[in-house]
Amino acid sequence: MAAGLRAVRRWALAAAAPPRLAFTRSAFVAKKESNAQPNWLGVGLAFGTSAALWAFLLKEHDGDVMEYERRRQAKGHHKCTECS
């Protein structure tokens, strides 16, 4: 009985231990990186996406400012120095 418990503990410790680096393979590194030839498609997609998001953000901001001004005007806001 005691030998069985020791075996179970040993297997539990072995299962909980991190895998050894010598026996693992990374699925993300298939070849060595070459900095001489950048991935221009990836660079273009990154900068293009960033530019598109900034353009959308600025367009939305301008629309929000216009909506704010329209609602402020519709509210009947008067230009009185004593009220503000």
Side-chain angles (χ1 to χ4, degrees), residues 38-47:
N39 181 3
W40 290 113
L41 178 63
V43 171
L45 284 173
F47 281 113

Side-chain angles (χ1 to χ4, degrees), residues 13 21-27 29 34 36 40 42 45 62 69 78:
L13 287 175
L21 293 177
F23 297 114
T24 61
R25 289 177 42 184
S26 175
V29 179
S34 172
W40 290 113
L45 284 173
D62 289 342
E69 291 294 331
H78 58 278

Side-chain angles (χ1 to χ4, degrees), residues 9-66:
R9 284 189 198 139
R10 189 176 304 140
W11 280 105
L13 287 175
R20 303 211 191 287
L21 293 177
F23 297 114
T24 61
R25 289 177 42 184
S26 175
F28 300 106
V29 179
K31 62 181 179 177
K32 193 171 185 172
E33 288 187 25
S34 172
N35 292 331
Q37 294 179 336
N39 181 3
W40 290 113
L41 178 63
V43 171
L45 284 173
F47 281 113
T49 303
S50 179
L53 287 172
W54 272 105
F56 176 74
L57 177 69
L58 291 173
K59 180 182 168 223
E60 287 292 312
H61 174 70
D62 289 342
D64 290 343
V65 169
M66 287 175 52

